[in-house]
């Protein structure tokens, strides 16, 4: 079925006759019945009547492609070599700018195009490590997360590990998913384009603020590894100032800011779960920038199968193309930002949520789904 292009979104939801015998009415694509939230018309997130779709789609795909999919599970140690290259590149540029006079335009351009891109890749590497997809060992991958964090002037890797796993576990659940915008973000920004630009520019801060807010709400305290991450960052920042000067540290800070805000590679923060379509809460990106950014755009695939490393996610899509290519997906990160900023129908409230009771009720059907799949296989 040829795609119908609507801005950046390939709208592919086909007319699929859903199987009324299946325990979950969303089967087989797991597209919900909810309508997306529109700023100016709605005041809150869209609300779902089921659990998140990924675990059930995972079981559906495993019932059909079990051996092939499990063959994709594993690790990719190339991530360590990429992390080493990024560390050498960024620390080398920090040293260069710390010891050489340069025009502020040149300094800013390098920080945006090279530093911002490198910082975005660091985020992908930390993401791989938090899923133990580099070595397969929790301890070693935590250490690789710390190693990758060396060129970020703030401690990110270990807190991200905690809250990202929580996001996977409780996707869209109010009060438990740390990826959801806070109430003031929804109420203040709405569909205003200028406010959305400013909001994207402070996105690095918002990730920290949301984590702190959830930590306080749940009574969490920083863990051992988060404290190790903090100490490591303080020591590294001190060494950078001593060896590269404050300008060298400033280059790394500016790279961090650019890389996680209004940068093409940072558009995946919007692409992943902001609702561009009714009934679908997770979106993949299949564009050329997946090459430098290590396939971070394959987000439906990643949520469905967290044991598959970045290098094998395209193989999963090819294997189960009748599922992934018939979900709506993005083809341009530039257009993701453009559409999100300029369209008054999009804003921080463009997400879908469910309460804990609804989530657990939807999950309770899993045993029936396994039974259904077993009958189909027999």
């Amino acid at each position: 079925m040829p795609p119908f292009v609507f801005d950046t979104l390939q709208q592919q939801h086909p007319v699929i006759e859903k199987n009324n015998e299946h325990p979950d009415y969303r089967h087989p694509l797991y597209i919900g019945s909810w309508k997306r939230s529109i700023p100016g018309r709605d005041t809150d997130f869209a609300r779902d009547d089921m659990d998140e779709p990924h675990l059930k789609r995972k079981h559906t795909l495993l019932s059909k492609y079990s051996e092939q999919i499990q063959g994709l599970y594993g690790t990719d140690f190339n991530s360590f070599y990429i992390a080493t290259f990024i560390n050498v590149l960024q620390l080398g540029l920090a040293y260069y700018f710390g010891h050489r006079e340069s025009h502020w335009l040149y300094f800013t351009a390098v920080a945006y195009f090279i530093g911002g891109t490198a910082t975005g890749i660091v985020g992908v590497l930390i993401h791989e490590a938090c899923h133990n997809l580099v070595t397969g060992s929790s301890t070693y991958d935590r250490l690789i997360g710390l190693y990758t964090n060396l060129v970020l002037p703030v401690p990110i890797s270990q807190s991200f590990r905690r809250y990202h796993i929580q996001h996977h576990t409780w996707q869209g659940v109010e009060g438990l998913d740390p990826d959801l915008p806070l109430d003031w973000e929804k109420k203040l920004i709405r569909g205003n384009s200028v406010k959305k630009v400013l909001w994207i520019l402070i996105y690095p801060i918002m990730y920290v603020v949301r984590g702190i807010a959830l930590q306080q709400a749940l009574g969490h305290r920083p863990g051992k590894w988060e404290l190790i991450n903090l100490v490591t960052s303080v020591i590294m920042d001190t060494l950078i100032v001593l060896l590269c000067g404050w300008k060298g540290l400033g280059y790394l800070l500016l790279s961090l800011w650019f890389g996680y805000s209004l940068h093409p590679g940072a558009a995946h923060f919007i692409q992943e779960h902001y609702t561009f379509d009714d009934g679908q809460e997770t979106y993949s990106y299949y564009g050329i920038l997946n090459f430098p950014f290590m396939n971070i755009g394959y987000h439906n695939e990643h949520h469905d199968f967290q044991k598959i490393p970045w290098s094998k996610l395209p193989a999963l899509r090819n294997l189960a193309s009748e599922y992934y290519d018939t979900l709506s997906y993005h083809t341009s990160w530039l257009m993701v930002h453009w559409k999100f900023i300029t369209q008054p129908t999009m804003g921080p409230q463009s997400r879908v949520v469910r309460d804990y009771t609804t989530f657990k009720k939807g999950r309770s059907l899993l045993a029936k789904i396994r039974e259904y799949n077993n009958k189909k296989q027999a």
Side-chain angles (χ1 to χ4, degrees), residues 51-208:
D51 56 327
E52 57 86 13
H54 299 289
L55 184 60
K56 290 176 179 175
R57 189 160 61 230
K58 173 183 177 179
H59 281 279
T60 297
L61 291 175
L62 284 174
S63 69
K64 189 173 183 180
Y65 301 110
S66 178
E67 186 175 342
Q68 299 97 310
I69 289 176
Q70 290 185 50
L72 298 174
Y73 290 176
T75 59
D76 191 336
F77 197 70
N78 286 318
S79 298
F80 174 77
Y81 301 126
I82 296 170
T84 300
F85 172 77
I86 296 295
N87 282 353
V88 171
L89 174 67
Q90 283 294 86
L91 292 175
L93 286 170
Y95 186 85
Y96 170 83
F97 283 116
H99 291 83
R100 194 182 200 67
E101 286 297 321
S102 55
H103 193 280
W104 69 269
L105 278 175
Y106 175 65
F107 177 82
T108 304
V110 172
Y112 184 86
F113 290 104
I114 298 178
T117 301
T119 298
I121 297 171
V122 166
V124 182
L125 292 162
I126 288 174
H127 173 263
E128 290 293 296
C130 89
H131 284 286
N132 298 332
L133 294 174
V134 183
T135 69
S137 161
S138 176
T139 300
Y140 289 150
D141 275 49
R142 281 186 181 275
L143 291 172
I144 287 174
L146 292 174
Y147 175 67
T148 307
N149 201 151
L150 292 178
V151 292
L152 302 183
V154 296
I156 289 176
S157 67
Q158 303 308 307
S159 294
F160 177 81
R161 182 185 180 100
R162 179 206 291 213
Y163 291 114
H164 183 68
I165 297 303
Q166 186 159 339
H167 161 64
H168 274 277
T169 305
W170 303 108
Q171 180 181 315
V173 179
E174 292 176 298
L176 292 174
D177 183 355
D179 193 57
L180 291 170
L182 302 173
D183 283 340
W184 73 262
E185 296 177 75
K186 295 179 292 182
K187 294 175 182 176
L188 179 64
I189 310 300
R190 299 195 182 278
N192 185 284
S193 293
V194 174
K195 290 180 179 179
K196 282 187 281 188
V197 170
L198 296 175
W199 180 71
I200 290 174
L201 286 172
I202 65 167
Y203 216 79
I205 296 175
M206 290 316 307
Y207 249 64
V208 176

Side-chain angles (χ1 to χ4, degrees), residues 225-291:
W225 283 97
E226 288 170 278
L227 295 175
I228 292 172
N229 197 175
L230 174 62
V231 172
T232 303
S233 289
V234 170
I235 293 172
M236 190 64 190
D237 290 351
T238 302
L239 288 173
I240 289 170
V241 171
L242 290 174
L243 297 174
C244 306
W246 286 102
K247 192 174 180 182
L249 183 65
Y251 165 76
L252 295 178
L253 281 168
L254 195 58
S255 297
L256 172 66
W257 195 275
F258 284 149
Y260 293 155
S261 59
L262 201 58
H263 188 282
H268 74 86
F269 294 123
I270 303 298
Q271 158 236 311
E272 292 168 351
H273 295 295
Y274 284 84
T275 53
F276 288 76
D277 208 350
D278 295 333
Q280 184 175 324
E281 63 185 281
T282 305
Y283 299 79
S284 287
Y285 157 77
Y286 303 132
I288 193 171
L289 290 180
N290 270 315
F291 177 73

Side-chain angles (χ1 to χ4, degrees), residues 315-327:
L316 172 63
R317 180 200 175 192
N318 291 335
L319 175 67
S321 59
E322 73 272 28
Y323 289 87
Y324 294 119
D325 286 353
T326 47
L327 294 171

Side-chain angles (χ1 to χ4, degrees), residues 349-368:
Q349 72 184 68
S350 301
R351 298 288 293 263
V352 61
V353 297
R354 56 201 38 99
D355 57 42
Y356 177 82
T357 303
T358 299
F359 180 87
K360 297 300 286 186
K361 185 178 179 181
R363 271 294 188 267
S364 68
L365 299 175
L366 203 53
K368 294 181 179 179

